[in-house]
Amino acid sequence: MSEFLDGLERTKIIRIGEKEKPVFSKEEMTNRNTKLRNYMGEKDIDAVLFTSYHNVNYYSGYLYTSFGRHTGLLVTQDKHVTITPNVDGGMPWRRSFGDNIAHTDWRRDNFFYAVQTVLKDAGITKGRLGIEYDFVTLSIRKQLEISFPEFEFVDVAFDLMKFRMVKSKEELDLITNGARVCDVGGYAVAEAIAEGVPEYEVALAGTEAMTREIAKLYPHLDLRDSWVWFQSGMNTDGAHTWPTTRKIQPGDVLNLNTFAMIAGYYTALERTLFFQDVDEASLKYWNINVEVLEAGAKLVKPGAVCKDIANELNEIYRGYGVLSNRTFGYGHSFGILSHYYGREAGLELREDIDTVFEPGMTISMEPMILIPNGQPGAGGYREHDILIIHENGETENVTKFPYGPEHNIIKR
C-alpha cells in the first residue's frame, strides 16, 4: 500500500493500454538481464539502480525524458522495475521490458521513496547497491546516502559499459538498418542543396526523410530524436555545429551529417561536399582525408588495438604536414548514445584507448581535419562510415552513401 500525504499518493501503479511491441525480442532482453544478474552475483551486489539514459534503455527498452524529474531502473535477482515520473503516465510501463512504478511530484524525495518501496518488496533492506558513478550527480548521491544508510554503494558503470560494447545480432541488425536510414537522409540533403538555400532548410529535408523511413521500418516504435547537422563555409569548423540561417554560396565547402535514432540507438553518416566547384587547395585536403578514411577502414579487424590504429593513421596526416589540423579521435562505438546522453568511451579510436577489437563490435571511421580561416582550402573536412566486425571475422562497411570528389561536388 502506497503512503499518502494529505490524501495524495507518493507512488502509483499506472497500467494504461497494453505492452507495446518492443524493438528487441524477449529473448534478447532476457539475455541482457541474465548477464547483468550473473555479474551482480559475482560481485556480491544485491541490487543495481540505473539512472542513466543508456543503461535504463539498454536493460529495459525504455528511453526516458528527464524534464528535471528522476527516472531509474532497479534490478535485483528477481525484480526488474522502471521507476518513472507520474507525469509520463502509462507510457513507461508500455515501453518497459519489466514492471513499472510511478512516483508523484508531491514531495521531492518521492523517487527515492519509490526505490525504497521496490527494495522492501524484494526483501532487501541492506547490502551492496550498484550505481553509476559517471552519471549520478552530487545531489543524487547525497540523497541516496540519506535514503539508504544501510547500503554500500558500488560503481558498476565501467564494467557494464564493456558489456554494451559487444553487440548482439539483433543490435547489429538495427544498426545496419540505421545506417541505411542515414543514407536516405543523406540523399535528401544532397537533393536539397542549392544556391541561396539556408542550412536549416537543407537539414529539415534530411530529418523528414529519415523520420518517414524509420516509420516504415519500425511502425510500432515512437519516433524521436533523429536529426541533421548541415554546415556550410566556415560553419564546417566544428563537428557539432547546429544548422544556421547561413545561405549556401558557390564554392562552399559543405558538411552533411545525418543521425538516425531508432529506439535510442545512434547511427550516422557524415560527408564532405562542395557546391558548384572546388579549388585546388581544398581538393588537396579533401583527398588527404579520403585517404585516411580508406586506410582506417582496412585496419579495423579482430585483434586490432584502438590506439595502434590511431597512431598509424596519425602517420598519414603527419606525412602531409596536417597532423596538427586533426580535431578529434578517428572513431567511436555505436549503440545507445546521443548528443545528450552516454557513449561507450572504452571503444574509441584514440591514442589513449587500448581496447582490442572482437566480433560484435561496431566502430565509426571518421577522420576530420580543419584548415583555419584565411588559409587556402579553409574549412572542415570530415567523412564517416560505420564498420561492423562479424562473427566470421570479416569487417563490413554498412554505410553506402558515396564519398569523395568524384561523387560529392554538387552542381545545380
Side-chain angles (χ1 to χ4, degrees), residues 92-107:
W93 175 76
R94 293 194 298 272
R95 291 288 181 194
S96 294
F97 170 65
D99 209 346
N100 172 264
I101 186 171
H103 64 91
T104 64
D105 286 350
W106 323 141
R107 269 179 52 170

Side-chain angles (χ1 to χ4, degrees), residues 267-282:
T267 45
L269 163 71
E270 300 178 11
R271 289 289 183 257
T272 300
L273 309 93
F274 274 79
F275 182 58
Q276 298 292 30
D277 55 63
V278 55
D279 62 87
E280 185 176 343
S282 297

Side-chain angles (χ1 to χ4, degrees), residues 156-272:
V156 299
F158 182 75
D159 286 345
L160 299 187
M161 176 196 68
K162 291 190 289 186
F163 287 178
R164 299 196 316 274
M165 288 185 341
V166 179
K167 305 295 184 295
S168 68
K169 182 182 184 305
E170 289 189 26
E171 288 181 287
L172 295 179
D173 288 344
L174 184 144
I175 290 169
T176 300
N177 281 340
R180 186 168 71 80
V181 172
C182 289
D183 288 347
V184 169
Y187 286 114
V189 165
E191 184 65 27
I193 293 170
E195 185 173 358
V197 177
E199 292 174 353
Y200 74 88
E201 288 288 352
V202 177
L204 285 172
T207 303
E208 290 178 0
M210 288 193 297
T211 301
R212 293 188 179 107
E213 188 67 18
I214 294 170
K216 292 178 185 177
L217 290 170
Y218 299 97
H220 50 288
L221 298 184
D222 46 12
L223 302 169
R224 57 183 290 189
D225 297 331
S226 294
W227 82 101
V228 170
W229 286 327
F230 178 78
Q231 302 123 359
S232 63
M234 280 314 301
N235 287 342
T236 61
D237 63 339
H240 301 155
T241 304
W242 288 81
T244 72
T245 58
R246 186 187 184 278
K247 296 180 179 179
I248 299 170
Q249 304 167 25
D252 271 349
V253 57
L254 309 172
N255 282 174
L256 173 163
N257 314 265
T258 60
F259 305 100
M261 296 294 298
I262 306 173
Y265 275 72
Y266 166 103
T267 45
L269 163 71
E270 300 178 11
R271 289 289 183 257
T272 300

Side-chain angles (χ1 to χ4, degrees), residues 206-363:
T207 303
E208 290 178 0
M210 288 193 297
T211 301
R212 293 188 179 107
E213 188 67 18
I214 294 170
K216 292 178 185 177
L217 290 170
Y218 299 97
H220 50 288
L221 298 184
D222 46 12
L223 302 169
R224 57 183 290 189
D225 297 331
S226 294
W227 82 101
V228 170
W229 286 327
F230 178 78
Q231 302 123 359
S232 63
M234 280 314 301
N235 287 342
T236 61
D237 63 339
H240 301 155
T241 304
W242 288 81
T244 72
T245 58
R246 186 187 184 278
K247 296 180 179 179
I248 299 170
Q249 304 167 25
D252 271 349
V253 57
L254 309 172
N255 282 174
L256 173 163
N257 314 265
T258 60
F259 305 100
M261 296 294 298
I262 306 173
Y265 275 72
Y266 166 103
T267 45
L269 163 71
E270 300 178 11
R271 289 289 183 257
T272 300
L273 309 93
F274 274 79
F275 182 58
Q276 298 292 30
D277 55 63
V278 55
D279 62 87
E280 185 176 343
S282 297
L283 184 61
K284 179 186 73 172
Y285 293 123
W286 194 1
N287 280 325
I288 291 171
N289 214 47
V290 165
E291 181 179 338
V292 174
L293 173 76
E294 293 175 341
K298 295 176 182 177
L299 295 173
V300 175
K301 53 190 174 184
V305 182
C306 289
K307 64 182 181 182
D308 294 343
I309 293 175
N311 286 320
E312 188 163 342
L313 296 179
N314 281 346
E315 292 305 311
I316 300 176
Y317 278 143
R318 183 177 284 112
Y320 288 107
V322 295
L323 181 58
S324 63
N325 298 89
R326 201 187 110 194
T327 60
F328 52 76
Y330 290 100
H332 59 79
S333 182
F334 291 88
I336 299 173
L337 62 99
S338 172
H339 58 80
Y340 67 90
Y341 57 85
R343 68 187 292 163
E344 295 156 7
L347 187 51
E348 296 192 31
L349 294 174
R350 296 180 3 173
E351 295 83 348
D352 56 352
I353 302 293
D354 58 7
T355 300
V356 178
F357 279 107
E358 59 183 276
M361 289 183 171
T362 67
I363 195 79

